[in-house]
Amino acid sequence: MTEQHAHQFERGTDGPKVIVVGLDGSGPSLRAAAYAAGLARRQHALLAVVYVQPVLAAGAALGAPVAETTDEIAEDLVAQIRDSAERLKGIFEVRWEFHTFRGDPYNGLVKAADELKADAVVVGASEQAGHRFVGSVAVRLVKAGRWPVTVVP
């Protein structure tokens, strides 16, 4: 007698299908993106590059064009990714998408990982000294315990 199992989504069973990487243009985030791209290539997974646009009410109050600035950052990041992908064409093939979410980095990455059904999340280590004591985005993602998290120095 054979037992039939209902087919449902199960995270990470046959290797990752979607790898989310947080990218903000910092050195650690660029290294995280390079690491995640290699992982995605080897695993034949989709690389979902996520930029979380900060919501800065205080900056807007001071007259700073915050939305325009963060849109420019997102456009610059996409251009950098496209340039890198073009240089590697024919050598390394990586399927990738770029996504922008709004909010603080932790909540933005959580939302992205949930919506994109991430099997793994890759982030760069924080460069801010205070994060060693208070907790960085990476530490908070690990503590959430919802996906394997790789922190790239």
Side-chain angles (χ1 to χ4, degrees), residues 17-60:
K17 299 281 185 264
V18 178
I19 298 169
V20 166
V21 61
L23 183 65
D24 64 7
S26 67
S29 79
L30 293 169
R31 289 189 294 275
Y35 177 88
L39 185 61
R41 179 185 57 80
R42 289 187 299 278
Q43 298 291 333
H44 306 287
L46 173 66
L47 177 64
V49 180
V50 174
Y51 169 62
V52 180
Q53 287 186 322
V55 177
L56 301 173

Side-chain angles (χ1 to χ4, degrees), residues 4-105:
Q4 290 187 353
H5 295 284
H7 186 73
Q8 60 185 15
F9 175 73
E10 189 176 351
R11 194 172 265 131
T13 52
D14 295 321
K17 299 281 185 264
V18 178
I19 298 169
V20 166
V21 61
L23 183 65
D24 64 7
S26 67
S29 79
L30 293 169
R31 289 189 294 275
Y35 177 88
L39 185 61
R41 179 185 57 80
R42 289 187 299 278
Q43 298 291 333
H44 306 287
L46 173 66
L47 177 64
V49 180
V50 174
Y51 169 62
V52 180
Q53 287 186 322
V55 177
L56 301 173
L62 296 172
V66 175
E68 291 172 22
T69 302
T70 59
D71 286 344
E72 287 172 14
I73 292 168
E75 289 168 15
D76 183 52
L77 292 173
V78 170
Q80 287 180 45
I81 295 165
R82 282 202 178 105
D83 288 347
S84 296
E86 203 54 43
R87 280 195 310 272
L88 297 174
K89 203 171 216 127
I91 302 167
F92 298 115
E93 296 296 325
V94 176
R95 291 182 306 124
W96 64 276
E97 299 174 348
F98 185 84
H99 298 270
T100 301
F101 287 80
R102 288 192 179 274
D104 68 276

Side-chain angles (χ1 to χ4, degrees), residues 103-121:
D104 68 276
Y106 170 76
N107 288 311
L109 286 171
V110 166
K111 184 176 181 184
D114 283 344
E115 286 185 14
L116 300 169
K117 290 188 166 71
D119 294 299
V121 178

